[in-house]
Amino acid sequence: MDLTIFNSQFKGDIVTPTDPDYEDAIKRWATNALRRAKVVAFVKDEIDVQLAIKYARSAELPIAIRCGGHNPAGASSSEGGLVIDLSKYLNCARVDAEKRLIYVGGGALWSTVDKTAIVHGLATVGGTVNHTGVGGLTLGGGYGWLTSEHGMVIDNLVQATVVTADSSIVIANDGEHSELFFGLRGGGSNFGVVTELVYQLHPQRSTVYGGNLVYPRERLEKLIAITTSWWEQCSKKGSLLELITVDQDGKPIIITWLFYNGSEADGREYFKAFLDIGPIVDNTKEIPYEELNEMMNFVMYPGQGVYMKGVAQTEPKYSSIDKAFDKVIRESDNEFRLSVLYEYFPSEKIRAQPKDKTAFRRDVTLPMCIMCTWQGDSQEMVERARRSSREMFEIVKVGNPQLTEAQSTGYTNHGEESFSPVRIQEVLTILNVLDAEGVTGGKEAVPDKARLVFGENYPRLQAVKKRYDPDNVFHKWFPITPA
């Protein structure tokens, strides 16, 4: 199939480098995730996806899948390849209030899910940043503000429509293609293009208590002591995130985001200890539920360079966090910022699921994310971010010696990219270098890193890969080697 035939049969929009809207078509949330694709296919339905896969395979073009375009390592982009872009047309959501289900297009953002469901007094687990795409977050596992009450995003996924590597359209759930359904829940984009996701909804009050508190560095020891005490007795009604960073003036601060699924009065009582130690800023209040996932948007905004690396801790530890804070201060300047995000989602609902129910590796650790941000797009900044993140990673590991090698990789949606042989060649094309350790994390890649990431579920995932993608067509995110 040549491009002319593909174009004549395709219902959506095909964009190539000569088109005036090409630059917009390849733009991503992180500037360093941009790749110059040969073809961007804005699909309208599963038939379009089938055509795109057939064309890409016949033309020997690597395939990337774009939903929200949030992966800073470039998993939704393809240098010289074809991007199947779901964001333009497959971006809606509809609710079946009677069955408490929401049907979501594979290219939708979480803001659409939140706003559509809450009209019916319902909600599902949906991350912490509302301009993230549903597809990437879900297939990677998905922590969110409602995790403490309803588990992870994948624990609320009841069905997915998938176009596989041979262009078959399949429905995956517990009764049909159940092994594929297992693989999709945590195994990422390794098995096909997910065009629709169906989630379980839960009754949700219309307002919640949320926002952020800001503390100076001097409050760190008290804050960690309070966090430790809170963590030991926290309930499913509340969660929090803590970010060690520097402000625009270079002043070291801790931003703490609070969430309580109740009124402001009850939320302030629940988090009283955090309020009593004297934050220098209190931006918490009772807000509409649909604004909950906007709380972090002022930090996670589009158009900046971003490098993220996953890691974990076994419990809140002042000595480890204090050393990490010293590193944050040393590394950050007017052009570059190093930060570390500590996530505290009560995990009873996560641990309640059998480990072999989904592909996601369910650790008892607390996820963390090392983040570097900068303005512009330069390889020099990417290299600086890679070095800083690796050094911070080692600081965290030393402070948490109980972590196994697998646990130290943290949450997969925070992790840097690991490359298959096909992906390595794409990276080499981008960088024009002779080593196989490329961009935004590739230098930290280890052979078959997916084996480490997925742990005891890996052999089962290899069997799923062999059935649904034996030729490794989909290889942009912790690629699994077919059995």
Side-chain angles (χ1 to χ4, degrees):
M1 181 189 297
D2 64 21
L3 185 59
T4 303
I5 296 173
F6 175 41
N7 209 345
S8 68
Q9 298 176 354
F10 194 77
K11 296 187 290 293
D13 305 330
I14 294 175
V15 178
T16 63
T18 59
D19 292 317
D21 51 349
Y22 175 75
E23 295 300 329
D24 285 338
I26 62 172
K27 192 179 294 182
R28 294 296 182 264
W29 172 69
T31 57
N32 49 303
L34 185 149
R35 307 284 185 269
R36 306 202 70 81
K38 186 173 183 179
V39 180
V40 180
F42 290 97
V43 296
K44 278 195 170 181
D45 56 20
E46 286 82 8
I47 307 302
D48 272 358
V49 176
Q50 287 180 312
L51 287 168
I53 292 173
K54 288 176 181 177
Y55 169 71
R57 296 196 69 176
S58 67
E60 298 185 343
L61 297 177
I63 294 174
I65 307 162
R66 190 218 175 169
C67 176
H70 249 252
N71 184 280
S76 68
S77 304
S78 181
E79 185 74 17
L82 182 142
V83 176
I84 297 174
D85 197 314
L86 309 171
S87 66
K88 189 172 184 178
Y89 295 112
L90 300 180
N91 57 14
C92 297
R94 61 181 177 87
V95 169
D96 183 332
E98 185 177 343
K99 294 182 179 180
R100 291 183 180 171
L101 296 174
I102 186 166
Y103 295 76
V104 185
L109 303 181
W110 283 107
S111 58
T112 300
V113 176
D114 296 338
K115 292 171 184 176
T116 303
I118 198 61
V119 171
H120 303 273
L122 300 168
T124 192
V125 184
T128 57
V129 177
N130 72 353
H131 50 77
T132 306
V134 297
L137 183 77
T138 301
L139 301 182
Y143 290 94
W145 292 116
L146 295 181
T147 285
S148 58
E149 293 191 69
H150 307 302
M152 304 192 71
V153 175
I154 51 172
D155 300 329
N156 294 274
L157 182 68
V158 298
Q159 183 171 287
T161 302
V162 189
V163 185
T164 59
D166 66 356
S167 295
S168 298
I169 301 172
V170 302
I171 304 292
N173 53 41
D174 282 330
E176 304 175 77
H177 295 275
S178 57
E179 282 301 285
L180 175 59
F181 192 49
F182 158 81
L184 292 172
R185 289 176 292 171
S189 56
N190 271 291
F191 310 106
V193 181
V194 179
T195 57
E196 184 182 70
L197 305 109
V198 184
Y199 302 95
Q200 188 69 56
L201 294 170
H202 309 275
Q204 175 59 48
R205 58 178 283 134
S206 61
T207 62
V208 298
Y209 173 67
N212 66 75
L213 306 174
V214 180
Y215 301 92
R217 166 73 186 270
E218 295 73 34
R219 301 275 199 284
L220 180 65
E221 188 168 9
K222 282 186 178 180
L223 179 61
I224 300 307
I226 289 168
T227 302
T228 302
S229 177
W230 170 83
W231 182 247
E232 290 170 351
Q233 54 189 351
C234 59
S235 78
K236 65 181 184 180
K237 299 274 280 185
S239 303
L240 66 87
L241 305 176
E242 292 175 341
L243 181 75
I244 55 173
T245 187
V246 298
D247 66 14
Q248 292 181 337
D249 298 321
K251 214 182 304 183
I253 57 171
I254 311 112
I255 305 175
T256 300
W257 285 272
L258 306 179
F259 163 64
Y260 182 80
N261 203 355
S263 68
E264 179 173 357
D266 289 344
R268 286 188 175 276
E269 180 60 31
Y270 181 73
F271 287 114
K272 185 176 184 300
F274 292 86
L275 296 162
D276 285 350
I277 63 170
I280 54 178
V281 176
D282 179 356
N283 288 321
T284 63
K285 60 183 179 180
E286 194 161 328
I287 58 175
Y289 171 78
E290 61 269 27
E291 294 180 9
L292 176 64
N293 285 348
E294 296 177 6
M295 294 195 304
M296 295 187 70
N297 287 7
F298 74 95
V299 173
M300 309 298 285
Y301 60 87
Q304 57 184 338
V306 181
Y307 184 103
M308 299 168 68
K309 184 171 180 61
V311 67
Q313 60 176 348
T314 51
E315 59 184 340
K317 291 183 178 178
Y318 169 69
S319 59
S320 174
I321 298 171
D322 188 49
K323 288 184 174 66
F325 214 156
D326 286 340
K327 178 68 172 174
V328 164
I329 295 167
R330 288 196 305 271
E331 291 288 331
S332 300
D333 56 34
N334 292 335
E335 297 181 338
F336 179 90
R337 182 176 296 165
L338 171 64
S339 307
V340 183
L341 182 68
Y342 298 81
E343 302 185 351
Y344 298 98
F345 299 110
S347 59
E348 181 181 350
K349 288 288 186 178
I350 300 173
R351 290 182 282 107
Q353 298 291 339
K355 287 187 175 182
D356 61 354
K357 184 176 181 179
T358 66
F360 185 78
R361 192 189 74 241
R362 294 173 189 264
D363 291 335
V364 294
T365 55
L366 297 168
M368 296 169 53
C369 182
I370 301 166
M371 298 189 298
C372 298
T373 56
W374 61 93
Q375 297 304 312
D377 178 22
S378 76
Q379 187 60 31
E380 181 183 351
M381 283 297 187
V382 172
E383 293 293 340
R384 180 177 175 182
R386 182 182 293 123
R387 174 187 55 77
S388 297
S389 296
R390 169 53 58 179
E391 291 170 357
M392 180 65 82
F393 180 80
E394 294 301 327
I395 289 171
V396 174
K397 280 182 66 178
V398 169
N400 292 269
Q402 305 95 325
L403 291 174
T404 65
E405 186 179 7
Q407 288 172 340
S408 71
T409 63
Y411 170 38
T412 45
N413 275 340
H414 290 161
E416 78 282 350
E417 201 168 14
S418 181
F419 303 128
S420 69
V422 178
R423 177 70 178 116
I424 287 171
Q425 291 306 311
E426 184 179 338
V427 171
L428 298 183
T429 301
I430 298 167
L431 296 181
N432 192 27
V433 295
L434 297 177
D435 74 84
E437 299 177 329
V439 67
T440 51
K443 286 200 173 181
E444 279 75 59
V446 297
D448 211 356
K449 188 172 183 179
R451 188 181 300 276
L452 183 64
V453 165
F454 298 117
E456 60 192 33
N457 286 327
Y458 189 64
R460 188 175 170 189
L461 286 169
Q462 288 184 288
V464 178
K465 184 74 168 176
K466 181 179 181 180
R467 178 176 176 185
Y468 293 97
D469 184 19
D471 298 323
N472 209 17
V473 172
F474 303 106
H475 55 261
K476 297 281 288 186
W477 188 88
F478 295 111
I480 295 165
T481 303

